[in-house]
Amino acid sequence: MNKNIFFRFDADDGARHGLGHFYRTKKIIDYLKRKFSNYKFYVVIKKNLYGTKIIKQNIKTPIIFFDKSFFKKKFDKKKDIFFVDTFQKDRKLIKFLSKKGLKLILFDQTKIDHLKKGLIINGISFANKKIFSKYKGLKIYQGPKYIFLDKSYSVKKNLKRTYKIKNAIVSSGGADKKNFLYFVTKKLSNFDLKKIFVIVGKSVKKNNKIFSLKKNKKVHLIINKDKIKKYFDLADVSFVTGGTVMFESIATGTPTLAFKNYNHQKYAMRYFSKLNCVIEHNNTKSFTKNQILSFFNYSKKNFSSLYKNNVRVIDGKGFDRVCKIIYNYLSL
């Protein structure tokens, strides 16, 4: 039987949230298209120019716009499957689909009082709230081992015999709407560093302040690269925002200073800070020279233990775990 898989997620220019949900969903769609060639795939998003553009450029999948009329559509519980990855939003939609008996796969949802069956994978939201259900039909997977990263992060760099801070990496994810890259890189350029790798995402606009630093010999702008793990491996310290790039930094064992870019990131930052995986900082503009020096000294003293702890907490195998769970669920 041919089946339809609908992927509901948000995609904007980074003004309200990052692009982690979009890239995670894209990887899942690519994986499932290889496994289920007879299925039809659809993307469900709210209507906005940026979201439509980025999907057309990156996911060759028909778009359905999510609005009030969407709830008038007819779905078949034998043929239709829904993924929802909107970080605890869309409760009305989830309740609507659940009542129709559709197969549901939800990412980072903690409000489950209306669910009796489905699949929930909380690789991030568990840091805010762990969930439990009395219903056997509702399968829940939660914790750091379900953090969804590229498969390359399961391969670990060799632990250095001698540790010196020569190279740094700066990354804010996809859009950098708040000029995090510029503020941090500008301050780091005053330190005795050989290279500062700055990850410039595909959604960073051409008028972003970071491009004013491109003539600085220390600053290496890594523009529109899908694979960035090697730069974390080359870095001795990492300055990142609290989204997916924070998890990538932890998975490589790099000493990590994490900054809150969106309010919802505070839970994961707090969780990994308590595990001694990151040092958290809330305000980029108040970031001082002494705080950088303190982080450098901390990293030098604790590098070996930080590395071993970080690669243990996030082992980089979440991609395989999550894909296997989804495949088995859809094959039932």
Side-chain angles (χ1 to χ4, degrees), residues 300-315:
K300 290 174 183 177
K301 291 179 181 178
N302 300 283
F303 173 73
S304 179
S305 60
L306 285 172
Y307 175 86
K308 292 175 183 177
N309 179 58
N310 283 12
V311 299
R312 175 186 60 80
V313 174
I314 300 182
D315 62 9

Side-chain angles (χ1 to χ4, degrees), residues 311-326:
V311 299
R312 175 186 60 80
V313 174
I314 300 182
D315 62 9
K317 298 178 182 178
F319 179 94
D320 287 332
R321 290 191 186 98
V322 171
C323 286
K324 185 176 180 180
I325 289 167
I326 293 173

Side-chain angles (χ1 to χ4, degrees), residues 27 38 56 60 100 103 140 160 172 174 233 247 249:
K27 290 174 184 176
N38 60 324
K56 287 183 176 180
K60 306 303 180 184
K100 291 187 173 294
K103 270 194 172 182
I140 300 171
K160 297 177 181 179
S172 66
D233 287 342
F247 308 136
S249 181

Side-chain angles (χ1 to χ4, degrees), residues 51-60 63:
T52 304
K53 179 180 178 181
I54 194 172
I55 289 166
K56 287 183 176 180
Q57 288 176 342
N58 292 275
I59 304 177
K60 306 303 180 184
I63 296 174

